[in-house]
């Protein structure tokens, strides 16, 4: 009897594993697709008259701020030239510092315009809309103006005695 029980137990352990449902090693359909990016259809860019109006308004404000900066830069350059060779705290030095502060305030307004443009671009991206070329161009122009103004302010500041 013990032999019969042992044989039954051993036969249960020795079942045929080839009949178990294992996944096939054949190439699956998804593996035939490859890793290349799927082809996408280009999105048609629709005109946005409201955004065009905003872009025109921001561009107009940018031009006005640029003109203001140019005039203030000329004044600050003259003040900085007078302050060279003067001591820190002299009237000429204080006038130049005041003019530099005015330049920095104008540059901050230009930077604010850049932030407005970025906000418009973020709103479009959040709505899953494509880049708007006029907005992208205005952003590039404004960023260049901000960088130029910062360089001009730094050059004038560096020309003055440190205080």
């Amino acid at each position: 009897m013990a032999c019969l029980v042992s044989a039954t137990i051993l036969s249960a352990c020795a079942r045929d594993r080839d009949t178990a449902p294992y996944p096939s090693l054949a190439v699956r359909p998804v593996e035939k697709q490859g890793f290349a990016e799927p082809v996408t259809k280009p999105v048609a860019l629709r005109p946005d008259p409201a955004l065009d109006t905003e872009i025109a308004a921001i561009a107009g404000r940018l031009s006005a701020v640029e003109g203001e900066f140019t005039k203030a830069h000329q004044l600050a350059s003259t003040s900085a030239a007078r302050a060279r060779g003067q001591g820190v705290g002299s009237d000429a030095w204080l006038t130049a510092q005041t003019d530099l502060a005015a330049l920095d305030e104008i540059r901050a307004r230009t930077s604010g315009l850049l932030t407005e443009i970025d906000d418009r671009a973020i709103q479009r991206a959040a709505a899953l809309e494509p880049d708007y070329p006029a907005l992208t161009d205005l952003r590039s122009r404004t960023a260049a103006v901000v960088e130029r103004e910062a360089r001009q302010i730094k050059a004038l500041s560096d020309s003055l005695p440190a205080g």
Side-chain angles (χ1 to χ4, degrees):
M1 180 81 164
C3 256
L4 187 60
V5 171
S6 296
T8 306
I9 292 174
L10 285 176
S11 67
C13 291
R15 70 181 171 89
D16 187 11
R17 294 198 181 261
D18 291 337
T19 61
Y22 288 107
S24 169
L25 295 178
V27 176
R28 290 171 270 171
V30 74
E31 293 172 332
K32 293 178 184 177
Q33 291 180 353
F35 295 103
E37 287 292 323
V39 176
T40 58
K41 295 178 183 176
V43 178
L45 184 63
R46 291 174 292 158
D48 188 343
L51 184 58
D52 287 334
T53 302
E54 288 181 40
I55 290 171
I58 293 172
R61 290 177 19 220
L62 177 62
S63 294
V65 170
E66 276 186 286
E68 204 177 322
F69 186 88
T70 300
K71 289 177 186 174
H73 184 264
Q74 290 170 350
L75 180 64
S77 294
T78 303
S79 297
R82 286 187 194 131
R84 287 186 195 109
Q86 301 289 319
V88 173
S90 67
D91 286 342
W93 184 85
L94 290 172
T95 301
Q97 292 297 325
T98 303
D99 292 343
L100 279 174
L103 280 179
D104 200 42
E105 185 273 328
I106 296 169
R107 187 210 47 81
R109 283 191 277 143
T110 308
S111 182
L113 292 174
L114 184 60
T115 301
E116 281 186 48
I117 296 166
D118 285 342
D119 287 344
R120 301 303 186 286
I122 290 168
Q123 289 169 0
R124 285 188 63 80
L128 301 177
E129 295 175 341
D131 287 342
Y132 203 70
L135 189 63
T136 304
D137 293 345
L138 182 61
R139 191 206 183 282
S140 297
R141 177 182 164 213
T142 307
V145 170
V146 169
E147 289 175 24
R148 186 191 75 231
E149 289 175 354
R151 279 193 315 270
Q152 289 175 326
I153 291 170
K154 184 176 180 342
L156 284 177
S157 181
D158 290 348
S159 72
L160 295 173

